Amino acid sequence: MAIYTFYLCNRDGRSISFEAFELGSDKSAPERALKLLGEHPSCAYVAVWEGDRPIIERHRTAALH
């Protein structure tokens, strides 16, 4: 398992907070990112990284459609 960092970002692209989770694979990241968007209404998007490797971004507008 690897540690994934989920950066909660505002519209300006700045990280306002982050959370780290141990996940089994990259495939688990999108669902966790959507959950975090739901838990943090002031967050515009979530950027997920595993170490120095970008995994995915989930934006609030895309998650609603």
Side-chain angles (χ1 to χ4, degrees), residues 3-61:
I3 301 294
Y4 290 77
T5 307
F6 292 72
Y7 295 97
L8 307 169
C9 301
N10 63 19
R11 288 185 203 146
D12 297 336
R14 292 188 206 191
S15 175
I16 53 178
S17 183
F18 73 92
E19 296 189 27
F21 299 96
E22 191 172 46
L23 301 176
S25 73
D26 292 359
K27 292 179 182 181
S28 301
E31 182 178 341
R32 180 67 64 134
L34 289 175
K35 181 178 181 197
L36 288 171
L37 278 175
E39 294 173 355
H40 300 275
S42 65
C43 172
Y45 69 95
V46 176
V48 183
W49 289 70
E50 188 270 313
D52 61 353
R53 185 172 64 96
I55 303 300
I56 194 169
E57 286 187 2
R58 280 292 182 252
H59 292 255
R60 183 167 301 285
T61 54

